[in-house]
């Protein structure tokens, strides 16, 4: 029903910046909140930031003041601006979209992931 495609990952030095993008397609009218999660090797996937369709945001404490999530509803795209990157930010970053009414046919959607590597 919904497809998510991330882009913008890469390799940067500590203190650098990256901007991730996630474009949604399909039945985008079903999407409520969108967000970014990340998973480092040997660790569980964790929340980075989320944003509601109305623009309300929340962030993991570890990224507050450094990362900014935003979305363009007309383009069905969510962004993650990452500044002052640290080596501990290294992970695969996944875009996430949650429907208004989850069901067996319309559950949480995930992108394929994009690698972010921060060197020290």
């Amino acid at each position: 029903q919904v497809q998510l495609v991330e882009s913008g990952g890469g390799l940067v030095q500590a203190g650098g910046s990256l901007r991730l993008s996630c474009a949604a397609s399909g039945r985008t009218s079903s999407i409520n909140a969108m967000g970014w999660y990340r998973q480092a090797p040997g660790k569980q996937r964790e929340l980075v930031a989320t944003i509601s369709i109305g623009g309300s945001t929340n962030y993991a404490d570890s990224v507050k003041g450094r990362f900014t999530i935003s979305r363009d509803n007309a383009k069905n795209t969510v962004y993650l601006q990452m500044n002052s990157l640290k080596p501990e930010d290294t992970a695969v970053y996944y875009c996430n979209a949650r429907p208004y009414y989850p069901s067996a046919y319309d559950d949480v959607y995930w992108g394929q992931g994009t690698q972010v590597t921060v060197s020290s």
Side-chain angles (χ1 to χ4, degrees):
Q1 291 291 305
V2 175
Q3 297 79 45
L4 304 173
V5 180
E6 302 105 327
S7 62
L11 172 64
V12 298
Q13 292 185 330
S17 298
L18 283 173
R19 186 184 188 231
L20 306 183
S21 298
C22 174
S25 61
R27 202 166 74 89
T28 57
S29 62
S30 71
I31 297 174
N32 185 3
M34 298 186 72
W36 291 94
Y37 291 69
R38 66 187 182 187
Q39 186 168 27
K43 299 183 66 177
Q44 294 182 313
R45 187 173 299 183
E46 64 179 2
L47 170 74
V48 177
T50 61
I51 184 168
S52 73
I53 194 167
S56 179
T57 61
N58 74 88
Y59 298 88
D61 288 341
S62 60
V63 307
K64 286 182 179 178
R66 300 189 298 121
F67 292 9
T68 302
I69 189 171
S70 62
R71 70 191 288 176
D72 184 337
N73 291 332
K75 295 182 178 180
N76 301 126
T77 301
V78 63
Y79 306 93
L80 185 68
Q81 178 66 48
M82 305 186 293
N83 299 326
S84 301
L85 283 161
K86 304 175 181 179
E88 51 262 45
D89 295 318
T90 295
V92 177
Y93 283 69
Y94 295 91
C95 182
N96 164 273
R98 296 181 178 273
Y100 285 98
Y101 305 106
S103 71
Y105 302 100
D106 192 14
D107 207 346
V108 175
Y109 297 97
W110 295 94
Q112 82 286 351
T114 185
Q115 178 71 47
V116 172
T117 302
V118 184
S119 62
S120 60

